[in-house]
Structure formats: C-alpha cells, structure tokens
Amino acid sequence: MTNSFLIDSIANCNNLGSVNPTLKVIFAISSLLVSVFSKTFIVPLLITIIMGFVVIFAAKVPKNVYLKLLAIPVIFGIITFVMMTFLFGTEIYMTFDFFGITINLLKDGFSLGLLTFFKMLGGVSCTLFLALTTPFTEIFCILKKSKIPKNMLEIAMMMYRCIFVLLEEAFTMENAQKTRLGYKTLKTSYHSLGLLAGSLFIKALDKGDVIYNSLNSRGYDGDLMFFGNMSYPNPGYIVLIGIFELLLLSLNYIKIY
C-alpha cells in the first residue's frame, strides 16, 4: 500500500474521525500560521511536539507511519539548515580547515537556519495532522462553504479522484512488467520505466474521457454536488483554540538566555 492510499485510509479511520472537521481545519491552519510567523524556534518546536502527540496518541495513527511521512521533510530541512549555517550571515562563530579550504561557521546563519528548520517542521506537522485525521471529502465540503471559487474546487476534486485512478493503473502495469522481468537489471529498469510513463500518459487521457462521460451520463452540468450536512463546531472549542494560539504567540516575547 502506497502513502497516498495509506493516508486516505487513515484519514477515514482514526480516533479523531468523529471530531468536527471544521474545528480540525481551524486548529491546523491557525497553528501553521503561528509557526510561520514565530520569531523563536521554541514556538514551532512546541507545535511539532503537540501535533505529534495528538496524531500518535489521540488519533491513534501508527507511529512508524507518522515518522516515515515526517522523515523526508526533515532530511531536506537538515540540508537547508547546514547550508544556511555556512552561507548566510556575517558574524563568524567558528573557523576550521577542510582539505585546505577555510570554512566559516556563521552565527547569524546558524540562528536563521535553526529557526527556518523548526518553522518547516512545525508547518509539516500541522499539515500531517490535517491530512491524517480529516478525509479530503470533508475538506472539500469546508472549502465549498468557505466560498472558494467553484472552478478551482472542482478541478481539485477531479485531481484528487484521478490520483487514485492513475496509481491503480500504474501498479497494474508495474506488476505486469515485473512478471516479465522488466526490472531485472538497471538497463531494463530504465526501459520499463519509460514504457510505464508513456503508457500511463495515454491511460490518463483515456480515463479522463471515461470519467467525464460518466459524469455527463449522470446529469453533470458543471456543478459537482455535495451530499450531507456538516454541523458548525462548538464556539467554546474555537475560543479554546484561540487561547492556545495566543499563548504560543506570547512565547515570542519571552527572552530565553
């Protein structure tokens, strides 16, 4: 099972599935904004810890799945942190030689890189919280109530549907190639991958026509219908989220020596 199927499955079956989706969206987006605009790395670090705790212990998402999804952004974040430490700033904190090359460790770059890394970590953790606890169908309903332009919303919905259709086709073709030893060597792997990409492009066009014709046969007039009535969240919970975010924002004005 790939990450796309796994995330969709977890989002529909987790312990926070009964929580109002609008409340989860407000919590995730407000925490994301607080993380992005924070002036100290302590705030996004706390957001990362809290989001991880909620996802793993409250939503009961498998720990290995969450950490695996978090690992790739962390790797890129570490690379960014290292590059900024050596390339940004003017105040030299430490100097050392590496095979005759003088490398300066910059204090300004270290502080900026550390803040950037934890901001990225906080933002990713908020995104994973929303993706792992809220089905995309509910997110689309919230977006529609938020007066998002209809055309943008329908394109996003069709893209979401086509992702799974194309993944299923790709897995079918890949398994067929593997049974014919299409990935036995590096040369045959590249050849099979090229054939897979070309065939998948043609399949995508065919599947797009099939989906469009299916919609037309069911009375599609350019407006995708949403069924169900989503209740509004309890105002008390929204107030609690606001207090929580204000407490996090207040940490930006506490000097840590």
Side-chain angles (χ1 to χ4, degrees):
M1 184 180 292
T2 61
N3 286 341
S4 299
F5 288 116
L6 186 61
I7 291 174
D8 193 65
S9 176
I10 292 174
N12 285 278
C13 302
N14 65 86
N15 281 16
L16 294 181
S18 60
V19 177
N20 190 288
T22 304
L23 199 63
K24 290 185 283 188
V25 169
I26 293 173
F27 179 56
I29 293 178
S30 60
S31 298
L32 175 63
L33 292 176
V34 170
S35 177
V36 169
F37 292 106
S38 62
K39 299 178 181 179
T40 173
F41 73 92
I42 298 296
V43 176
L45 175 59
L46 286 175
I47 291 175
T48 302
I49 295 172
I50 292 169
M51 289 296 178
F53 181 85
V54 172
V55 170
I56 295 174
F57 296 102
K60 300 297 182 183
V61 174
K63 181 171 61 175
N64 60 328
V65 173
Y66 180 74
L67 294 178
K68 188 180 294 184
L69 292 172
L70 195 63
I72 296 177
V74 167
I75 293 173
F76 282 102
I78 292 174
I79 294 173
T80 303
F81 166 67
V82 172
M83 296 297 293
M84 294 182 74
T85 301
F86 293 114
L87 299 178
F88 287 85
T90 56
E91 185 177 353
I92 298 176
Y93 178 72
M94 184 184 300
T95 301
F96 57 92
D97 292 331
F98 183 75
F99 293 103
I101 301 175
T102 301
I103 299 178
N104 296 323
L105 181 64
L106 303 173
K107 187 175 182 179
D108 299 343
F110 178 84
S111 301
L112 182 60
L114 191 67
L115 179 60
T116 303
F117 172 76
F118 282 108
K119 279 187 177 183
M120 177 278 303
L121 205 58
V124 170
S125 63
C126 293
T127 305
L128 286 179
F129 163 78
L130 189 60
L132 292 170
T133 61
T134 312
F136 269 90
T137 52
E138 295 180 351
I139 294 177
F140 286 136
C141 288
I142 295 171
L143 291 175
K144 188 169 186 178
K145 285 188 175 182
S146 303
K147 306 302 181 182
I148 298 295
K150 183 178 67 175
N151 293 336
M152 292 178 59
L153 185 58
E154 291 187 355
I155 290 173
M157 293 177 63
M158 294 300 294
M159 289 174 61
Y160 176 71
R161 166 60 183 159
C162 287
I163 285 173
F164 296 96
V165 173
L166 293 179
L167 282 175
E168 186 177 354
E169 290 291 335
F171 293 146
T172 302
M173 289 187 285
E174 184 183 15
N175 290 331
Q177 289 177 330
K178 286 180 179 179
T179 59
R180 294 170 176 81
L181 301 179
Y183 296 90
K184 186 177 181 180
T185 63
L186 183 62
K187 182 178 180 180
T188 56
S189 297
Y190 281 125
H191 179 69
S192 298
L193 187 61
L195 292 176
L196 176 63
S199 300
L200 192 61
F201 178 76
I202 297 172
K203 287 281 187 179
L205 295 177
D206 292 338
K207 285 292 183 181
D209 289 335
V210 170
I211 293 174
Y212 182 71
N213 292 331
S214 299
L215 288 172
N216 285 333
S217 67
R218 291 166 174 80
Y220 175 67
D221 60 354
D223 187 13
L224 294 176
M225 301 298 294
F226 289 86
F227 296 96
N229 185 22
M230 187 176 296
S231 61
Y232 288 97
N234 189 323
Y237 292 126
I238 297 178
V239 172
L240 289 177
I241 291 176
I243 295 173
F244 169 75
E245 304 298 349
L246 288 175
L247 288 175
L248 288 177
L249 284 173
S250 65
L251 294 177
N252 287 301
Y253 301 97
I254 297 177
K255 292 184 179 181
I256 300 175
Y257 295 95

